[in-house]
Amino acid sequence: MSDLGCSLLSLGSEEEREYGMQEYDGATPRWCPGCGDNGILTAAKRLLEAEQLPPERTVFVSGIGCSSRFPHYLKTYGFHGIHGRALPVATGIKLHRPDLNVFAVMGDGDCCSIGAGHWIHATRYNVNMVVLLMDNEIYGLTKNQTSPTTPQGFASNTQPRGSYLPALNPIEATLGVTNASFVAQTADWVPGHLYETLRAAYRHPGFAFVRILQRCPQYTSVLFDAVVRDPSRVELLVHEQGIDLPDLHDLYKNRRSHNPSNLDEARRLAENGAQMRLGIFYRDESHPRYEETRHVSPHSVEDRIQLLNREFDRHAV
Ligand code: SF4
């Protein structure tokens, strides 16, 4: 048997292939040292490996921002698009290739400012994908401008006397959209919780929105310092239908049982309070998904040829 024959045989079928974490490695990340994006990338790779997602059947779509470099750092398909447009691109991909595992990655400026319209409608469409909002509460790539989630009073280059307005709350906003089906919050510095949240989001059949609080040591280090150093400022939402990691119990004493099927309670808990809440706020698999309810026109090659032939026959003389 030739070498070529041996190597082809050794590839095996797709079912037999096993993917290690390193098989998802793309380019070397160029985020700043200590940037929370690094931990989020690691959690995503852990998920890809744990779920054994074939790189050629997985696609990460991003907009513009530090976080949007994500697709470059993974050896899957990727689309580094334009500012605020990750969600329409990801929606289009999923509608035409429902067999792909689709992830959309955005920053707070990307999602909550220029992309806000897409965010609302993509939530309502409830197309099956995982959405990562990597929220460092500032525009980092363009070097320190106030974003919609920058806390009131926090100084930046564009509002040096402090942000004028109260920050937009992405969890509250998403929960307010009709047909929202999965809304969760986690943090880059709690890796176990981050990974479990991504896993739950991936397994949710619908639009799974995950806000990840993300440290930016370059511009907003002071914003998360207190909650990172003092776990008593964090409250974990725990439930058998949500996330409850016994490993975190020693460190995070503040835990609240919250059934994520309770939307009213989820909205109440999402309101800004003294404590930062991490967990699944809301999850309901029964919401309609656009890809299931819309009229699907035939799009296989055979279907199209048949349609064309029928049209030609109609005009035959
Ligand atoms: Fe990360 Fe901030 Fe550096 Fe951007 S500017 S790479 S968000 S630390």
Side-chain angles (χ1 to χ4, degrees), residues 31-32 35 37 66 136 140-141 214-219:
W31 290 308
C32 304
C35 175
D37 289 352
C66 294
N136 58 2
L141 185 73
Q214 179 238 311
R215 290 167 297 174
C216 168
Q218 197 69 24
Y219 299 117

Side-chain angles (χ1 to χ4, degrees), residues 138-145 157 219:
I138 202 78
Y139 285 92
L141 185 73
T142 45
K143 304 198 186 309
N144 194 25
Q145 292 88 29
N157 286 343
Y219 299 117

Side-chain angles (χ1 to χ4, degrees), residues 16-316:
E16 290 164 357
R17 285 162 65 187
E18 254 196 41
Y19 304 99
M21 243 174 102
Q22 71 285 353
E23 281 168 89
Y24 301 102
D25 286 345
T28 305
R30 294 178 60 192
W31 290 308
C32 304
C35 175
D37 289 352
N38 292 290
I40 301 169
L41 180 67
T42 303
K45 284 185 192 169
R46 277 185 67 197
L47 175 74
L48 295 173
E49 185 198 25
E51 299 292 336
Q52 286 293 292
L53 302 189
E56 70 278 13
R57 296 253 210 92
T58 304
V59 57
F60 280 76
V61 182
S62 67
I64 295 293
C66 294
S67 57
S68 290
R69 298 186 59 79
F70 218 82
H72 296 274
Y73 304 148
L74 287 165
K75 203 191 279 175
T76 61
Y77 280 106
F79 189 105
H80 188 175
I82 53 174
H83 207 198
R85 311 296 180 237
L87 289 174
V89 174
T91 301
I93 292 171
K94 189 66 186 179
L95 292 182
H96 287 273
R97 287 293 306 273
D99 58 310
L100 297 182
N101 304 295
V102 177
F103 295 78
V105 180
M106 299 177 290
D108 39 302
D110 207 25
C111 173
C112 308
S113 183
I114 191 169
H118 297 305
W119 170 29
I120 291 171
H121 292 290
T123 303
R124 184 172 70 94
Y125 274 47
N126 194 30
V127 170
N128 190 13
M129 67 175 80
V130 178
V131 178
L132 310 184
L133 167 58
M134 292 153 75
D135 191 351
N136 58 2
E137 304 185 353
I138 202 78
Y139 285 92
L141 185 73
T142 45
K143 304 198 186 309
N144 194 25
Q145 292 88 29
T146 298
S147 92
T149 61
T150 304
Q152 190 170 25
F154 186 82
S156 74
N157 286 343
T158 44
Q159 298 186 8
R161 292 185 186 158
S163 174
Y164 306 128
L165 298 171
L168 185 148
N169 179 332
I171 297 293
E172 225 181 350
T174 312
L175 286 169
V177 177
T178 308
N179 212 32
S181 70
F182 183 105
V183 182
Q185 179 158 274
T186 183
D188 79 69
W189 62 91
V190 196
H193 194 271
L194 170 61
Y195 169 72
E196 283 302 325
T197 309
L198 295 191
R199 196 161 76 115
Y202 172 72
R203 293 184 171 189
H204 173 75
F207 187 88
F209 180 85
V210 182
R211 181 194 189 198
I212 307 171
L213 301 163
Q214 179 238 311
R215 290 167 297 174
C216 168
Q218 197 69 24
Y219 299 117
T220 55
S221 57
V222 296
L223 291 183
F224 298 113
D225 262 6
V227 278
V228 174
R229 290 173 196 277
D230 181 4
S232 73
R233 290 169 177 257
V234 173
E235 182 176 76
L236 297 181
L237 301 180
V238 297
H239 196 268
E240 56 187 12
Q241 305 298 324
I243 294 171
D244 189 8
L245 296 170
D247 288 356
L248 297 179
H249 288 189
D250 280 347
L251 192 58
Y252 293 97
K253 308 280 187 209
N254 295 329
R255 297 186 295 278
R256 176 192 293 262
S257 176
H258 166 60
N259 184 336
S261 66
N262 186 338
L263 181 58
D264 289 338
E265 183 68 0
R267 286 178 173 151
R268 199 186 65 71
L269 292 173
E271 289 169 11
N272 286 330
Q275 285 185 319
M276 184 171 277
R277 296 199 166 106
L278 305 182
I280 298 180
F281 283 77
Y282 183 62
R283 166 154 76 183
D284 186 339
E285 299 185 0
S286 68
H287 286 273
R289 303 208 310 260
Y290 184 72
E291 69 267 41
E292 287 185 343
T293 54
R294 72 171 184 155
H295 167 71
V296 182
S297 55
H299 56 265
S300 73
V301 174
E302 292 73 22
D303 288 340
R304 286 181 190 184
I305 291 173
Q306 254 186 24
L307 275 177
L308 272 175
N309 283 336
R310 228 177 289 149
E311 279 303 296
F312 289 146
D313 289 345
R314 226 158 53 83
H315 298 289

